[in-house]
Amino acid sequence: MLNDKSILITGGTGSLGQALTKTILEKWPNVKRLVIYSRDEQKQFQMAQEFPPEKYPAIRFLIGDVRDLDRMKRAFNGVDYVIHAAAMKHVHIAEYNPDECVKTNIGGAENVIKAALSCSVKHVVALSTDKACAPINLYGATKLASDKLFVAANNITGEQDVKFSVVRYGNVMGSNGSVMPFFLKKREGGVLPITDPNMTRFNISLADGVKMVLHAMEHAWGGELFVPKIPSYRITDIAEAIGPDCEHPVVGIRPGEKIHEEMITSSDSFTTYDLGEYYAILPQVPNWDIESYKKHFNAELVEQGFNYSSGENEDFLNVGELQKLIDDHVVTS
Ligand SMILES: NC(=O)c1ccc[n+]([C@@H]2O[C@H](COP(=O)([O-])OP(=O)(O)OC[C@H]3O[C@@H](n4cnc5c(N)ncnc54)[C@H](OP(=O)(O)O)[C@@H]3O)[C@@H](O)[C@H]2O)c1
């Protein structure tokens, strides 16, 4: 799919961006150009050690901010696919610096769309999060606005052959700031603080996140918001898996947190289709024929009122399964 194509990843030095880079370079050795677009030169310098341009001649590192439209238009020149992963993603930092979060997550999304349209990009896949579903914090709200911008962008393409789609998933196992590395670090002190004993979360590996982005790049018709079918875990089971002999005091939920995360609300159920491995929330007004879509993907409309929440999930990881996943995937830095 990507041999002879040019790809740009905004936020390419982040955890998803780096994992995508590795997969793309391994799977499509004849990719024409893979552009990493982000702000911090140090992160790019470090990434270039891992992906040296001598070994990977297709890779390019461009310093730039998603808030800077002119720079993005230059960067998008000749690019076929854009993966938009750049974001401010820490809930409490976004609450404390709301204007900055709006500029990056909403203004950045607008700029990606404008630059893609002006440079005749073929397909843009934007990253969303479970926190964008019925959001209760600014991070989630800005990502919901971003999702809406990308879905609606399919209606302003005119004669251009460009598609915009969205991939939404939950907590990436072991990613920076997530509970698993936090508990692993705390274990030595003998105390693992539990915010709320009823709390649940979705769980996805970085590899499955990458797979989903590539699925969207290959199969989207434009305007879909893809959601993976993934298991949940109870926060108390993570504590049990990591420190069964530690104290587990309940410290209370933090501002902006939910007890359970959602990825599809019952109001979305009217346009949500089961595609087998994934759900897709389809646009209210698609610019393609819905019956052809259903037939092509064997897509089935979910039941009215269906909602996909980490608390009501049918699939939960038990303590033993969590222990194995943590041993295999989570590293502390
Ligand atoms: N990690 C999770 O658990 C999770 C779960 C669901 C969804 N997501 C979504 O997945 C996407 C990728 O997440 P991640 O975990 O890979 O994030 P990450 O590791 O924090 O990486 C963020 C990337 O964005 C870049 N960036 C931030 N602000 C930028 C700006 N204004 N202009 C250009 N680049 C900017 C950062 O580099 P510089 O700072 O150098 O610019 C970095 O490369 C995000 O959209 C996030 O919302 C993540």
Side-chain angles (χ1 to χ4, degrees), residues 255-281:
E257 272 190 337
K258 288 180 180 175
I259 299 286
H260 308 293
E261 292 287 4
E262 281 176 285
M263 285 205 275
I264 301 170
T265 66
S266 53
S267 311
D268 294 319
S269 65
F270 299 98
T271 53
T272 299
Y273 286 78
D274 188 335
L275 304 180
E277 196 174 352
Y278 303 113
Y279 295 107
I281 305 175

PDB file of all heavy atoms in Angstrom, residues 255-281:
ATOM      1  N   PRO A 255      -9.480  15.366  39.348  1.00  0.00           N
ATOM      2  CA  PRO A 255     -10.332  16.229  38.511  1.00  0.00           C
ATOM      3  C   PRO A 255     -10.250  15.801  37.042  1.00  0.00           C
ATOM      4  O   PRO A 255      -9.158  15.511  36.552  1.00  0.00           O
ATOM      5  CB  PRO A 255      -9.717  17.625  38.693  1.00  0.00           C
ATOM      6  CG  PRO A 255      -8.859  17.541  39.907  1.00  0.00           C
ATOM      7  CD  PRO A 255      -8.476  16.116  40.104  1.00  0.00           C
ATOM      8  N   GLY A 256     -11.397  15.782  36.383  1.00  0.00           N
ATOM      9  CA  GLY A 256     -11.399  15.477  34.947  1.00  0.00           C
ATOM     10  C   GLY A 256     -11.391  13.989  34.626  1.00  0.00           C
ATOM     11  O   GLY A 256     -11.352  13.607  33.461  1.00  0.00           O
ATOM     12  N   GLU A 257     -11.410  13.131  35.676  1.00  0.00           N
ATOM     13  CA  GLU A 257     -11.395  11.680  35.412  1.00  0.00           C
ATOM     14  C   GLU A 257     -12.805  11.111  35.461  1.00  0.00           C
ATOM     15  O   GLU A 257     -13.655  11.603  36.206  1.00  0.00           O
ATOM     16  CB  GLU A 257     -10.579  10.967  36.500  1.00  0.00           C
ATOM     17  CG  GLU A 257      -9.116  10.880  36.216  1.00  0.00           C
ATOM     18  CD  GLU A 257      -8.411   9.959  37.223  1.00  0.00           C
ATOM     19  OE1 GLU A 257      -8.918   9.756  38.335  1.00  0.00           O
ATOM     20  OE2 GLU A 257      -7.343   9.468  36.871  1.00  0.00           O
ATOM     21  N   LYS A 258     -13.028  10.022  34.725  1.00  0.00           N
ATOM     22  CA  LYS A 258     -14.300   9.307  34.803  1.00  0.00           C
ATOM     23  C   LYS A 258     -14.063   7.982  35.516  1.00  0.00           C
ATOM     24  O   LYS A 258     -12.941   7.457  35.473  1.00  0.00           O
ATOM     25  CB  LYS A 258     -14.814   8.972  33.391  1.00  0.00           C
ATOM     26  CG  LYS A 258     -15.326  10.146  32.586  1.00  0.00           C
ATOM     27  CD  LYS A 258     -15.798   9.614  31.224  1.00  0.00           C
ATOM     28  CE  LYS A 258     -16.340  10.715  30.342  1.00  0.00           C
ATOM     29  NZ  LYS A 258     -16.688  10.218  28.995  1.00  0.00           N
ATOM     30  N   ILE A 259     -15.098   7.401  36.086  1.00  0.00           N
ATOM     31  CA  ILE A 259     -14.967   6.056  36.677  1.00  0.00           C
ATOM     32  C   ILE A 259     -14.794   5.045  35.534  1.00  0.00           C
ATOM     33  O   ILE A 259     -13.961   4.163  35.585  1.00  0.00           O
ATOM     34  CB  ILE A 259     -16.222   5.683  37.514  1.00  0.00           C
ATOM     35  CG1 ILE A 259     -16.396   6.673  38.649  1.00  0.00           C
ATOM     36  CG2 ILE A 259     -16.122   4.250  38.032  1.00  0.00           C
ATOM     37  CD1 ILE A 259     -15.429   6.522  39.795  1.00  0.00           C
ATOM     38  N   HIS A 260     -15.614   5.175  34.488  1.00  0.00           N
ATOM     39  CA  HIS A 260     -15.507   4.306  33.316  1.00  0.00           C
ATOM     40  C   HIS A 260     -15.309   5.181  32.086  1.00  0.00           C
ATOM     41  O   HIS A 260     -15.886   6.272  32.012  1.00  0.00           O
ATOM     42  CB  HIS A 260     -16.782   3.466  33.131  1.00  0.00           C
ATOM     43  CG  HIS A 260     -17.179   2.723  34.360  1.00  0.00           C
ATOM     44  ND1 HIS A 260     -16.433   1.695  34.881  1.00  0.00           N
ATOM     45  CD2 HIS A 260     -18.247   2.871  35.191  1.00  0.00           C
ATOM     46  CE1 HIS A 260     -17.021   1.237  35.979  1.00  0.00           C
ATOM     47  NE2 HIS A 260     -18.117   1.938  36.193  1.00  0.00           N
ATOM     48  N   GLU A 261     -14.516   4.716  31.124  1.00  0.00           N
ATOM     49  CA  GLU A 261     -14.368   5.455  29.862  1.00  0.00           C
ATOM     50  C   GLU A 261     -15.366   4.894  28.856  1.00  0.00           C
ATOM     51  O   GLU A 261     -15.752   3.726  28.932  1.00  0.00           O
ATOM     52  CB  GLU A 261     -12.949   5.289  29.295  1.00  0.00           C
ATOM     53  CG  GLU A 261     -11.867   5.968  30.112  1.00  0.00           C
ATOM     54  CD  GLU A 261     -11.850   7.491  30.001  1.00  0.00           C
ATOM     55  OE1 GLU A 261     -12.739   8.066  29.341  1.00  0.00           O
ATOM     56  OE2 GLU A 261     -10.937   8.100  30.594  1.00  0.00           O
ATOM     57  N   GLU A 262     -15.765   5.743  27.907  1.00  0.00           N
ATOM     58  CA  GLU A 262     -16.663   5.301  26.833  1.00  0.00           C
ATOM     59  C   GLU A 262     -15.982   5.526  25.495  1.00  0.00           C
ATOM     60  O   GLU A 262     -15.144   6.429  25.375  1.00  0.00           O
ATOM     61  CB  GLU A 262     -17.932   6.158  26.831  1.00  0.00           C
ATOM     62  CG  GLU A 262     -18.951   5.810  27.856  1.00  0.00           C
ATOM     63  CD  GLU A 262     -20.099   6.810  27.801  1.00  0.00           C
ATOM     64  OE1 GLU A 262     -19.910   7.949  28.282  1.00  0.00           O
ATOM     65  OE2 GLU A 262     -21.153   6.467  27.267  1.00  0.00           O
ATOM     66  N   MET A 263     -16.356   4.736  24.495  1.00  0.00           N
ATOM     67  CA  MET A 263     -15.861   5.039  23.145  1.00  0.00           C
ATOM     68  C   MET A 263     -17.016   5.286  22.172  1.00  0.00           C
ATOM     69  O   MET A 263     -16.840   5.944  21.158  1.00  0.00           O
ATOM     70  CB  MET A 263     -14.942   3.930  22.646  1.00  0.00           C
ATOM     71  CG  MET A 263     -13.578   4.013  23.337  1.00  0.00           C
ATOM     72  SD  MET A 263     -12.241   3.312  22.417  1.00  0.00           S
ATOM     73  CE  MET A 263     -12.394   1.614  22.896  1.00  0.00           C
ATOM     74  N   ILE A 264     -18.182   4.704  22.511  1.00  0.00           N
ATOM     75  CA  ILE A 264     -19.376   4.937  21.677  1.00  0.00           C
ATOM     76  C   ILE A 264     -20.544   5.180  22.626  1.00  0.00           C
ATOM     77  O   ILE A 264     -20.783   4.369  23.524  1.00  0.00           O
ATOM     78  CB  ILE A 264     -19.676   3.699  20.795  1.00  0.00           C
ATOM     79  CG1 ILE A 264     -18.486   3.379  19.880  1.00  0.00           C
ATOM     80  CG2 ILE A 264     -20.943   3.901  19.972  1.00  0.00           C
ATOM     81  CD1 ILE A 264     -18.596   2.038  19.153  1.00  0.00           C
ATOM     82  N   THR A 265     -21.245   6.290  22.474  1.00  0.00           N
ATOM     83  CA  THR A 265     -22.398   6.549  23.352  1.00  0.00           C
ATOM     84  C   THR A 265     -23.662   5.977  22.704  1.00  0.00           C
ATOM     85  O   THR A 265     -23.691   5.696  21.495  1.00  0.00           O
ATOM     86  CB  THR A 265     -22.638   8.057  23.558  1.00  0.00           C
ATOM     87  OG1 THR A 265     -23.017   8.613  22.286  1.00  0.00           O
ATOM     88  CG2 THR A 265     -21.394   8.767  24.070  1.00  0.00           C
ATOM     89  N   SER A 266     -24.733   5.873  23.509  1.00  0.00           N
ATOM     90  CA  SER A 266     -25.991   5.343  22.951  1.00  0.00           C
ATOM     91  C   SER A 266     -26.509   6.269  21.847  1.00  0.00           C
ATOM     92  O   SER A 266     -27.164   5.815  20.907  1.00  0.00           O
ATOM     93  CB  SER A 266     -27.025   5.126  24.047  1.00  0.00           C
ATOM     94  OG  SER A 266     -27.176   6.303  24.777  1.00  0.00           O
ATOM     95  N   SER A 267     -26.186   7.568  21.930  1.00  0.00           N
ATOM     96  CA  SER A 267     -26.631   8.485  20.860  1.00  0.00           C
ATOM     97  C   SER A 267     -25.892   8.225  19.552  1.00  0.00           C
ATOM     98  O   SER A 267     -26.386   8.543  18.469  1.00  0.00           O
ATOM     99  CB  SER A 267     -26.396   9.939  21.260  1.00  0.00           C
ATOM    100  OG  SER A 267     -26.898  10.169  22.528  1.00  0.00           O
ATOM    101  N   ASP A 268     -24.672   7.651  19.658  1.00  0.00           N
ATOM    102  CA  ASP A 268     -23.926   7.309  18.430  1.00  0.00           C
ATOM    103  C   ASP A 268     -24.465   6.026  17.788  1.00  0.00           C
ATOM    104  O   ASP A 268     -24.125   5.704  16.652  1.00  0.00           O
ATOM    105  CB  ASP A 268     -22.442   7.040  18.753  1.00  0.00           C
ATOM    106  CG  ASP A 268     -21.697   8.261  19.245  1.00  0.00           C
ATOM    107  OD1 ASP A 268     -21.923   9.343  18.695  1.00  0.00           O
ATOM    108  OD2 ASP A 268     -20.878   8.105  20.180  1.00  0.00           O
ATOM    109  N   SER A 269     -25.290   5.266  18.570  1.00  0.00           N
ATOM    110  CA  SER A 269     -25.657   3.920  18.104  1.00  0.00           C
ATOM    111  C   SER A 269     -26.435   3.961  16.780  1.00  0.00           C
ATOM    112  O   SER A 269     -26.403   3.007  16.010  1.00  0.00           O
ATOM    113  CB  SER A 269     -26.465   3.176  19.170  1.00  0.00           C
ATOM    114  OG  SER A 269     -27.696   3.824  19.392  1.00  0.00           O
ATOM    115  N   PHE A 270     -27.092   5.086  16.497  1.00  0.00           N
ATOM    116  CA  PHE A 270     -27.900   5.176  15.271  1.00  0.00           C
ATOM    117  C   PHE A 270     -27.050   5.094  13.999  1.00  0.00           C
ATOM    118  O   PHE A 270     -27.536   4.726  12.947  1.00  0.00           O
ATOM    119  CB  PHE A 270     -28.709   6.483  15.271  1.00  0.00           C
ATOM    120  CG  PHE A 270     -29.648   6.565  16.435  1.00  0.00           C
ATOM    121  CD1 PHE A 270     -29.316   7.266  17.582  1.00  0.00           C
ATOM    122  CD2 PHE A 270     -30.875   5.901  16.389  1.00  0.00           C
ATOM    123  CE1 PHE A 270     -30.171   7.312  18.662  1.00  0.00           C
ATOM    124  CE2 PHE A 270     -31.745   5.945  17.471  1.00  0.00           C
ATOM    125  CZ  PHE A 270     -31.393   6.651  18.617  1.00  0.00           C
ATOM    126  N   THR A 271     -25.761   5.463  14.144  1.00  0.00           N
ATOM    127  CA  THR A 271     -24.898   5.430  12.952  1.00  0.00           C
ATOM    128  C   THR A 271     -23.653   4.561  13.174  1.00  0.00           C
ATOM    129  O   THR A 271     -22.658   4.715  12.475  1.00  0.00           O
ATOM    130  CB  THR A 271     -24.436   6.852  12.549  1.00  0.00           C
ATOM    131  OG1 THR A 271     -23.844   7.469  13.688  1.00  0.00           O
ATOM    132  CG2 THR A 271     -25.561   7.701  12.015  1.00  0.00           C
ATOM    133  N   THR A 272     -23.706   3.673  14.188  1.00  0.00           N
ATOM    134  CA  THR A 272     -22.543   2.831  14.467  1.00  0.00           C
ATOM    135  C   THR A 272     -22.728   1.448  13.849  1.00  0.00           C
ATOM    136  O   THR A 272     -23.757   0.802  14.049  1.00  0.00           O
ATOM    137  CB  THR A 272     -22.318   2.696  15.996  1.00  0.00           C
ATOM    138  OG1 THR A 272     -22.072   3.990  16.528  1.00  0.00           O
ATOM    139  CG2 THR A 272     -21.140   1.794  16.305  1.00  0.00           C
ATOM    140  N   TYR A 273     -21.724   0.994  13.119  1.00  0.00           N
ATOM    141  CA  TYR A 273     -21.783  -0.305  12.436  1.00  0.00           C
ATOM    142  C   TYR A 273     -20.697  -1.224  12.985  1.00  0.00           C
ATOM    143  O   TYR A 273     -19.586  -0.778  13.309  1.00  0.00           O
ATOM    144  CB  TYR A 273     -21.606  -0.114  10.917  1.00  0.00           C
ATOM    145  CG  TYR A 273     -22.850   0.474  10.291  1.00  0.00           C
ATOM    146  CD1 TYR A 273     -23.132   1.831  10.407  1.00  0.00           C
ATOM    147  CD2 TYR A 273     -23.777  -0.345   9.647  1.00  0.00           C
ATOM    148  CE1 TYR A 273     -24.292   2.369   9.881  1.00  0.00           C
ATOM    149  CE2 TYR A 273     -24.944   0.181   9.117  1.00  0.00           C
ATOM    150  CZ  TYR A 273     -25.188   1.541   9.235  1.00  0.00           C
ATOM    151  OH  TYR A 273     -26.358   2.060   8.722  1.00  0.00           O
ATOM    152  N   ASP A 274     -21.056  -2.502  13.090  1.00  0.00           N
ATOM    153  CA  ASP A 274     -20.108  -3.526  13.513  1.00  0.00           C
ATOM    154  C   ASP A 274     -19.413  -4.058  12.257  1.00  0.00           C
ATOM    155  O   ASP A 274     -20.067  -4.573  11.348  1.00  0.00           O
ATOM    156  CB  ASP A 274     -20.881  -4.646  14.228  1.00  0.00           C
ATOM    157  CG  ASP A 274     -19.958  -5.652  14.871  1.00  0.00           C
ATOM    158  OD1 ASP A 274     -18.809  -5.791  14.411  1.00  0.00           O
ATOM    159  OD2 ASP A 274     -20.394  -6.302  15.837  1.00  0.00           O
ATOM    160  N   LEU A 275     -18.070  -3.887  12.212  1.00  0.00           N
ATOM    161  CA  LEU A 275     -17.330  -4.340  11.021  1.00  0.00           C
ATOM    162  C   LEU A 275     -16.573  -5.638  11.304  1.00  0.00           C
ATOM    163  O   LEU A 275     -15.712  -6.037  10.525  1.00  0.00           O
ATOM    164  CB  LEU A 275     -16.306  -3.275  10.593  1.00  0.00           C
ATOM    165  CG  LEU A 275     -16.794  -1.859  10.309  1.00  0.00           C
ATOM    166  CD1 LEU A 275     -15.630  -0.963   9.908  1.00  0.00           C
ATOM    167  CD2 LEU A 275     -17.852  -1.845   9.210  1.00  0.00           C
ATOM    168  N   GLY A 276     -16.831  -6.271  12.443  1.00  0.00           N
ATOM    169  CA  GLY A 276     -16.073  -7.480  12.799  1.00  0.00           C
ATOM    170  C   GLY A 276     -15.015  -7.136  13.827  1.00  0.00           C
ATOM    171  O   GLY A 276     -15.281  -7.106  15.024  1.00  0.00           O
ATOM    172  N   GLU A 277     -13.801  -6.805  13.341  1.00  0.00           N
ATOM    173  CA  GLU A 277     -12.718  -6.462  14.277  1.00  0.00           C
ATOM    174  C   GLU A 277     -12.912  -5.073  14.906  1.00  0.00           C
ATOM    175  O   GLU A 277     -12.416  -4.794  15.984  1.00  0.00           O
ATOM    176  CB  GLU A 277     -11.390  -6.497  13.505  1.00  0.00           C
ATOM    177  CG  GLU A 277     -10.181  -6.550  14.380  1.00  0.00           C
ATOM    178  CD  GLU A 277      -8.877  -6.729  13.586  1.00  0.00           C
ATOM    179  OE1 GLU A 277      -8.933  -6.959  12.353  1.00  0.00           O
ATOM    180  OE2 GLU A 277      -7.819  -6.623  14.190  1.00  0.00           O
ATOM    181  N   TYR A 278     -13.616  -4.199  14.191  1.00  0.00           N
ATOM    182  CA  TYR A 278     -13.789  -2.814  14.649  1.00  0.00           C
ATOM    183  C   TYR A 278     -15.264  -2.420  14.594  1.00  0.00           C
ATOM    184  O   TYR A 278     -16.064  -3.055  13.905  1.00  0.00           O
ATOM    185  CB  TYR A 278     -13.020  -1.843  13.729  1.00  0.00           C
ATOM    186  CG  TYR A 278     -11.543  -2.148  13.629  1.00  0.00           C
ATOM    187  CD1 TYR A 278     -10.971  -2.601  12.442  1.00  0.00           C
ATOM    188  CD2 TYR A 278     -10.722  -1.980  14.738  1.00  0.00           C
ATOM    189  CE1 TYR A 278      -9.611  -2.885  12.361  1.00  0.00           C
ATOM    190  CE2 TYR A 278      -9.366  -2.262  14.665  1.00  0.00           C
ATOM    191  CZ  TYR A 278      -8.817  -2.718  13.489  1.00  0.00           C
ATOM    192  OH  TYR A 278      -7.474  -2.997  13.428  1.00  0.00           O
ATOM    193  N   TYR A 279     -15.586  -1.338  15.315  1.00  0.00           N
ATOM    194  CA  TYR A 279     -16.835  -0.618  15.051  1.00  0.00           C
ATOM    195  C   TYR A 279     -16.464   0.598  14.218  1.00  0.00           C
ATOM    196  O   TYR A 279     -15.331   1.094  14.281  1.00  0.00           O
ATOM    197  CB  TYR A 279     -17.478  -0.118  16.351  1.00  0.00           C
ATOM    198  CG  TYR A 279     -17.945  -1.208  17.283  1.00  0.00           C
ATOM    199  CD1 TYR A 279     -17.255  -1.490  18.460  1.00  0.00           C
ATOM    200  CD2 TYR A 279     -19.091  -1.940  16.984  1.00  0.00           C
ATOM    201  CE1 TYR A 279     -17.688  -2.496  19.318  1.00  0.00           C
ATOM    202  CE2 TYR A 279     -19.526  -2.947  17.847  1.00  0.00           C
ATOM    203  CZ  TYR A 279     -18.813  -3.211  19.006  1.00  0.00           C
ATOM    204  OH  TYR A 279     -19.242  -4.203  19.846  1.00  0.00           O
ATOM    205  N   ALA A 280     -17.434   1.101  13.450  1.00  0.00           N
ATOM    206  CA  ALA A 280     -17.223   2.380  12.767  1.00  0.00           C
ATOM    207  C   ALA A 280     -18.452   3.245  13.007  1.00  0.00           C
ATOM    208  O   ALA A 280     -19.580   2.808  12.747  1.00  0.00           O
ATOM    209  CB  ALA A 280     -17.002   2.179  11.278  1.00  0.00           C
ATOM    210  N   ILE A 281     -18.208   4.446  13.575  1.00  0.00           N
ATOM    211  CA  ILE A 281     -19.295   5.428  13.663  1.00  0.00           C
ATOM    212  C   ILE A 281     -19.259   6.161  12.331  1.00  0.00           C
ATOM    213  O   ILE A 281     -18.251   6.794  11.988  1.00  0.00           O
ATOM    214  CB  ILE A 281     -19.081   6.417  14.835  1.00  0.00           C
ATOM    215  CG1 ILE A 281     -18.895   5.657  16.158  1.00  0.00           C
ATOM    216  CG2 ILE A 281     -20.242   7.401  14.926  1.00  0.00           C
ATOM    217  CD1 ILE A 281     -18.556   6.554  17.360  1.00  0.00           C
TER     218      ILE A 281
END
